[in-house]
Amino acid sequence: MYYTSGFHECLNNLVVLASTRMNAPVRTKQDLAAGLRDFVAATNTTPAAPGPLHVVDDEDRLRALARQFHRQPADGGRRLAAPPGAVALFQDGLDTLPPQAQRLFRLLVTEVALFDADAVTPGSGALVEQVGSVYVAPGTGWTAADVAECLVHELTHLLLRCDEHRYGHYVDPADALREQEFSRTAVSLTPRSPMVAFHSLVVAAEIMGLRAQLRRGEPRSPGGGVHGPDKLLVDRALQCADDLLHRPDRDSHYRERAVALMEHAATGLRSALPEMAL
């Protein structure tokens, strides 16, 4: 949501949610952090680690998070911590993001588990029911830009969750979360639930926003990353958008706010097409 909706809209959501846990207006950064921490504690189904943002270095905590993310290695005795250098790579990835995006990340994420990609499939994840915890398993040859894509991916899930708390996204939230073959996702075109398909569309638009930022006005530079080549990602994401926005039963599943976010994401993705044609 940072690239497609803007920093101020994302921050305003967090201010509104934080204010629901306070007896006074949110006036300072400290007020925001405290109110948001209380809001997350009240709405998470599983407690998250206290802040500030830190990289998990305790093997027992890594194993607990691997279970929550359903990323336990086949070899139960294998060490999960990523090799030396992963922390610096994570920090470089975080520093790749604009300062305002970093601020949103630090407001919502308190712990990052860096898994060894020999133990956990390379990738990343966040738990929408446990805002605060994120994992990254950097693959061989990953760059800071690859890590940045993963951080934007997971931040988008968390920002959408906060937006959902404020506005409501689904007619039937329980059904939206239920695993089912509802619609194709934006990155892989795999049929998934209403929530996963919707989130994937916004994630794809955010990834393209990040890539446009990293190109820094050089549209002819080759585009791609851990989420696939630009053209493939945009083509698939627009198929996902068409599937979701043109479903005859769309309004039986999604509320007006979710539809507006889908349309906004689709507009951003279409704007990338002329740039890729240069």
Side-chain angles (χ1 to χ4, degrees):
M1 286 185 65
Y2 169 79
Y3 288 98
T4 52
S5 297
F7 169 71
H8 292 292
E9 183 169 337
C10 294
L11 184 66
N12 189 48
N13 277 350
L14 302 187
V15 170
V16 169
L17 297 180
S19 67
T20 65
R21 311 303 301 180
M22 302 178 67
N23 296 321
V26 174
R27 299 187 186 279
T28 67
K29 292 180 180 179
Q30 291 74 20
D31 289 344
L32 175 58
L36 195 58
R37 181 177 62 246
D38 290 346
F39 177 83
V40 167
T43 54
N44 272 359
T45 57
T46 305
L53 173 66
H54 63 280
V55 173
V56 179
D57 58 7
D58 178 78
E59 192 70 18
D60 289 338
R61 180 60 180 162
L62 286 172
R63 293 192 180 282
L65 288 169
R67 288 192 295 272
Q68 288 176 292
F69 285 111
H70 303 292
R71 291 295 183 269
Q72 306 99 308
D75 179 0
R78 188 184 185 95
R79 181 175 171 80
L80 287 175
V87 174
L89 182 61
F90 160 73
Q91 189 60 58
D92 288 345
L94 184 59
D95 290 343
T96 298
L97 305 184
Q100 291 178 328
Q102 292 185 45
R103 182 181 174 194
L104 294 172
F105 190 88
R106 291 179 182 279
L107 279 168
L108 288 173
V109 180
T110 56
E111 63 177 350
V112 175
L114 297 177
F115 292 137
D116 186 342
D118 288 335
V120 174
T121 302
S124 63
L127 297 170
V128 294
E129 70 275 16
Q130 184 180 310
V131 172
S133 302
V134 165
Y135 87 83
V136 181
T140 302
W142 274 29
T143 65
D146 293 321
V147 173
E149 283 198 11
C150 289
L151 299 184
V152 166
H153 184 145
E154 307 315 332
L155 176 62
T156 302
H157 285 305
L158 301 181
L159 289 170
L160 282 170
R161 180 62 165 169
C162 291
D163 194 90
E164 179 190 350
H165 277 301
R166 182 179 181 187
Y167 294 104
H169 287 171
Y170 312 107
V171 175
D172 184 343
D175 182 68
L177 287 167
R178 180 176 61 83
E179 193 55 54
Q180 56 187 291
E181 294 186 355
F182 175 81
S183 189
R184 296 181 296 175
T185 57
V187 178
S188 65
L189 295 182
T190 304
R192 295 291 301 277
S193 70
M195 186 204 76
V196 172
F198 163 44
H199 275 222
S200 76
L201 173 58
V202 182
V203 164
E206 292 290 297
I207 295 300
M208 289 305 300
L210 170 67
R211 291 181 181 179
Q213 169 219 318
L214 295 180
R215 278 194 284 270
R216 293 185 175 89
E218 298 179 9
R220 293 178 185 274
S221 63
V226 292
H227 290 81
D230 283 358
K231 188 177 188 309
L232 180 63
L233 179 59
V234 171
D235 285 348
R236 287 181 170 181
L238 288 175
Q239 290 181 61
C240 170
D242 286 342
D243 286 355
L244 290 172
L245 289 169
H246 298 132
R247 286 181 68 102
D249 62 347
R250 182 195 71 189
D251 295 341
S252 298
H253 295 276
Y254 296 106
R255 296 192 181 278
E256 183 177 345
R257 173 65 174 177
V259 173
L261 291 173
M262 291 180 205
E263 291 173 339
H264 202 174
T267 298
L269 288 160
R270 291 189 185 98
S271 72
L273 292 174
E275 178 178 305
M276 291 189 297
L278 292 175

